[in-house]
Amino acid sequence: MLVVPPWLLTTLAGPPLPGWPTGAQLRGWIADPLNHHTLTAGLTALAWLVWLGLACTVAVTAARRARARARWLRRLPLPTPWQAAATTAAGAAALNTAHLPTVDTPIPQVSASTGTLHPHDGAADTQAGGGIAVPGGWLPDTTAQQVAAAAALVWLRRRRAYQPGQPSTDASDLAPLPATVTAVRTALTDADTQQPAATPATAAPPALPTPCVALTGDGAADAARGILLTRLLAAMRDPQDTTRLLIIHTALTTLLPDISTTDTEIPGLRVVDTVDQAAALLSSLVNAPPAPGGGAGHPDPLLLTDPPNAPTAGQLATLQHVGANVVMLGAGPPGTTWSIDRDGHTRDEHTGQRGPRLCVLNRTAATDLLAVIAHPARERQHPVTEPASPRRQPAETGHARIPRQAGSDRRAAAPDIPAVTDPRLQVRVLGRPTLLASGEPVTIRRSAALQVLVFLAVHPEGATTTDLVQAIWPGLPAHTVTGRLYTTLSDLRAAIRTATGATVLGHADDRYHLNPDRVDVDLWRLHTATHHAATALTDPAPAWQTVIDTYTGDLAAGHTWAWIDPPREATRRLVLDAYATAAAAQTDPHHRVRLLQDAIRVDPYNQTLHQLAADQLNALGDADAAARLLNGYQRRLQLAGIAASDQPAPTSR
């Protein structure tokens, strides 16, 4: 395509630019514009322009792919807590006891990774130099990987704290993470993998000059927020009582006026009012005995403060004797002074030499990222109780108007599970997403098309163009990727039409939706079964068992799209409620233990299920098995990166 057309044109019509037309030729063209020679010249010029456009397209595409490959090669791996949890959960046992063989079955692997997006150009862009740009700042790859790990821990804590079978009034428990967190996780996803490349644990942020550095320039405040976030993310890998960063209260108010240290606890951060308090605290940290178990000792703390006055300047100078770094917002006493631009590039004002690039974040971005680190100062500790009555209405999960399948009774009272006979098209989103036509899988070439299919299955009421764009390409204006969405929808329609000859993807009232009369969706069946069980007036046990049997795996298992976390957790909670309610209704204690064991397999991080199972084992006289169960559960949480001080104490009923 690049070589043959110019060869043919040169051979048949001569070179593209034989020379400028003469005056005689121009007069002849004006007198007779549509003759044989002018038409030939026009067609030849058009052919050359088409070939030139093709050559430019090929060159631009090749350069773009080369840059993407270079960025991928520069990435370094980081074992994160959620990856450790995914690895160690494979060998964990649910209920280990010699007296009850049913509790010796090992728990299958449950991935703790939640929420990295499929690769697309999003609000966060991978940049040269080992970092990503997000709306409001720039982060090194190491820091971005730690943000993704912290985001995974947020969902693990929510899974741990949920009480199956109990009505929940906390709507924020299933709220999506802030937009900046989503942008970071989007940028970390590689085009050919489902999980981001890891970065070694030894990778560290750029070293700051010791013992003191003053930050000036347009990006000083943003860089100070970046230093604060970087240190706090590093503290998450250490015991929760380890102080990695001290900050003067006035400096915190300047950098993050919306952060309240009374309502939230930020591991690794201490807020002090004066430099004197900071000096006393640093001295106590240095003189503290080493951690038991032969740890590496206390990390060098860092103090973030405003420019000192004459009295405090001398006090800051004494802090170098206790091994602390001092970062000042603004010009300070003689020492290292870094001038920082808005992109995080540093320059020594005294020598003029360029320094490392720092993480820079504006107030909105820093507040969003701190949301995955901070947690309530006093985490709620609910007593573990038996589930509520099985006739309760299920908690709202955000999926309104779940359609009944074809042939079902559409009356609101006591709906039956519809029996779809020989469905031509089946959408399976519980477990690995699959589209089946007459029992055979349909190939979906575009990953975005698979996302659209799952998104419409999760939202049977339909979704607008803006909804789809914001979910699949978060952070981008809808008008910039509308064409990409239309191409994706066209490809999905073509795949379905080729397999079945039917139109399943409909568009009405400016909303795309799946036609419930032509498609069978396992998620819709799960919601129908849950509604049936919650409204059953007599003998609800078989109805709850139907809910359990309908659940065949996590929603879109194996995929880490940014929008999937809330509906995935809401779906998991439906089956956990079914297990807990069915176990509470059981009179046979051994059968109750088996049900709780199966529920723990679904979510091995839930505290209530482990406590209920331990109570049943104690009631059966097997205290050793109960102790092993709870000890194994605590080890699983610690391996996932949730320290003991961050875990509410189990409370027996």
Side-chain angles (χ1 to χ4, degrees):
M1 293 298 294
L2 293 178
V3 176
V4 174
W7 176 77
L8 288 176
L9 289 173
T10 304
T11 303
L12 299 177
L17 297 175
W20 294 103
T22 64
Q25 290 175 334
L26 289 176
R27 287 191 297 271
W29 177 78
I30 294 174
D32 186 13
L34 297 178
N35 54 36
H36 173 72
H37 296 288
T38 57
L39 290 177
T40 302
L43 292 175
T44 303
L46 180 61
W48 277 110
L49 289 176
V50 171
W51 175 85
L52 182 61
L54 175 64
C56 291
T57 302
V58 171
V60 171
T61 303
R64 186 176 301 165
R65 291 182 178 177
R67 286 197 300 270
R69 179 60 60 182
R71 289 194 298 266
W72 178 80
L73 291 175
R74 275 192 291 269
R75 292 196 178 170
L76 299 173
L78 167 77
T80 58
W82 58 269
Q83 289 172 334
T87 303
T88 56
L95 303 166
N96 296 319
T97 170
H99 303 290
L100 292 173
T102 58
V103 298
D104 287 334
T105 306
I107 297 176
Q109 177 176 351
V110 177
S111 174
S113 63
T114 52
T116 26
L117 243 181
H118 195 77
H120 296 297
D121 329 320
D125 300 322
T126 305
Q127 302 290 332
I132 61 172
V134 298
W138 180 88
L139 297 87
D141 280 339
T142 303
T143 304
Q145 294 285 358
Q146 292 171 346
V147 169
L153 288 181
V154 170
W155 286 104
L156 284 185
R157 292 190 183 98
R158 292 179 178 181
R159 291 170 60 179
R160 177 203 61 191
Y162 178 67
Q163 289 193 301
Q166 298 297 325
S168 176
T169 59
D170 188 3
S172 64
D173 199 28
L174 289 175
L177 298 180
T180 307
V181 180
T182 301
V184 171
R185 296 164 70 185
T186 301
L188 288 175
T189 306
D190 185 78
D192 299 322
T193 59
Q194 293 291 343
Q195 294 183 353
T199 304
T202 56
L208 299 174
T210 56
C212 179
V213 60
L215 306 181
T216 62
D218 295 338
D222 291 351
R225 283 185 281 264
I227 292 172
L228 184 148
L229 180 79
T230 302
R231 284 292 179 123
L232 296 181
L233 287 170
M236 294 187 67
R237 297 195 300 266
D238 296 324
Q240 296 285 330
D241 57 355
T242 298
T243 298
R244 299 294 293 268
L245 188 143
L246 286 79
I247 187 170
I248 303 298
H249 186 269
T250 55
L252 180 62
T253 303
T254 301
L255 297 175
L256 298 168
D258 298 330
I259 295 295
S260 173
T261 56
T262 57
D263 298 333
T264 58
E265 177 183 348
I266 302 178
L269 177 67
R270 296 283 186 93
V271 182
V272 295
D273 294 326
T274 64
V275 177
D276 285 336
Q277 294 180 4
L281 181 57
L282 289 172
S283 299
S284 65
L285 291 175
V286 171
N287 297 327
H298 302 282
D300 293 336
L302 181 141
L303 174 64
L304 196 58
T305 180
D306 294 318
N309 51 30
T312 57
Q315 297 170 344
L316 289 176
T318 62
L319 294 180
Q320 59 181 310
H321 300 296
V322 296
N325 286 5
V326 179
V327 176
M328 292 180 295
L329 295 174
T336 304
T337 301
W338 275 356
S339 177
I340 306 174
D341 62 19
R342 295 191 180 276
D343 294 328
H345 299 289
T346 61
R347 180 178 57 83
D348 193 314
E349 288 192 350
H350 299 292
T351 64
Q353 295 181 350
R354 297 182 63 86
R357 189 177 185 182
L358 299 180
C359 174
V360 285
L361 300 167
N362 64 12
R363 290 180 179 178
T364 301
T367 302
D368 284 355
L369 297 182
L370 282 175
V372 301
I373 301 176
H375 50 78
R378 292 180 176 86
E379 192 167 5
R380 296 184 302 273
Q381 297 185 15
H382 303 288
V384 177
T385 59
E386 291 290 348
S389 169
R391 295 187 182 91
R392 67 176 179 85
Q393 291 292 335
E396 177 65 34
T397 61
H399 307 299
R401 302 195 301 275
I402 302 298
R404 306 285 182 251
Q405 297 297 311
S408 66
D409 186 359
R410 296 178 181 269
R411 294 174 298 176
D416 295 328
I417 305 300
V420 181
T421 58
D422 191 23
R424 299 188 62 186
L425 196 64
Q426 298 174 318
V427 177
R428 298 292 173 256
V429 295
L430 298 177
R432 299 287 297 189
T434 307
L435 179 64
L436 300 174
S438 301
E440 295 296 328
V442 177
T443 301
I444 300 178
R445 298 179 300 170
R446 294 176 176 265
S447 59
L450 182 62
Q451 281 201 68
V452 169
L453 183 66
V454 177
F455 191 87
L456 294 180
V458 172
H459 300 85
E461 70 279 6
T464 64
T465 300
T466 303
D467 295 335
L468 292 171
V469 167
Q470 291 178 349
I472 301 174
W473 299 283
L476 289 180
H479 67 275
T480 63
V481 288
T482 300
R484 192 186 308 179
L485 175 63
Y486 291 156
T487 302
T488 300
L489 293 171
S490 176
D491 188 83
L492 179 60
R493 283 195 179 102
I496 296 175
R497 191 180 301 111
T498 301
T500 65
T503 301
V504 175
L505 186 60
H507 184 259
D509 299 328
D510 198 29
R511 304 181 73 86
Y512 294 95
H513 63 275
L514 297 178
N515 189 339
D517 296 326
R518 296 187 178 182
V519 65
D520 172 51
V521 183
D522 55 354
L523 180 62
W524 298 354
R525 288 182 166 274
L526 177 66
H527 282 276
T528 302
T530 303
H531 179 76
H532 189 186
T535 56
L537 300 179
T538 59
D539 194 18
W544 288 114
Q545 187 61 46
T546 301
V547 176
I548 294 172
D549 295 339
T550 306
Y551 186 83
T552 56
D554 286 345
L555 178 64
H559 294 277
T560 52
W561 305 319
W563 60 269
I564 198 66
D565 291 326
R568 174 182 287 164
E569 179 61 18
T571 305
R572 182 188 291 115
R573 291 180 179 185
L574 288 179
V575 72
L576 294 183
D577 289 345
Y579 273 115
T581 306
Q586 269 296 326
T587 57
D588 181 1
H590 293 80
H591 192 191
R592 177 180 291 191
V593 169
R594 285 193 293 271
L595 286 172
L596 293 174
Q597 176 196 15
D598 293 339
I600 289 174
R601 287 196 181 96
V602 174
D603 191 352
Y605 295 95
N606 186 269
Q607 177 182 341
T608 298
L609 294 175
H610 283 81
Q611 190 62 54
L612 289 174
D615 289 345
Q616 292 302 314
L617 290 174
N618 284 323
L620 291 172
D622 200 341
D624 291 340
R628 288 196 301 271
L629 172 66
L630 294 180
N631 290 336
Y633 173 63
Q634 295 298 327
R635 288 194 301 270
R636 182 181 294 113
L637 293 182
Q638 291 173 359
L639 289 172
I642 304 177
S645 59
D646 188 33
Q647 302 167 18
T651 305
S652 300
R653 55 184 174 88

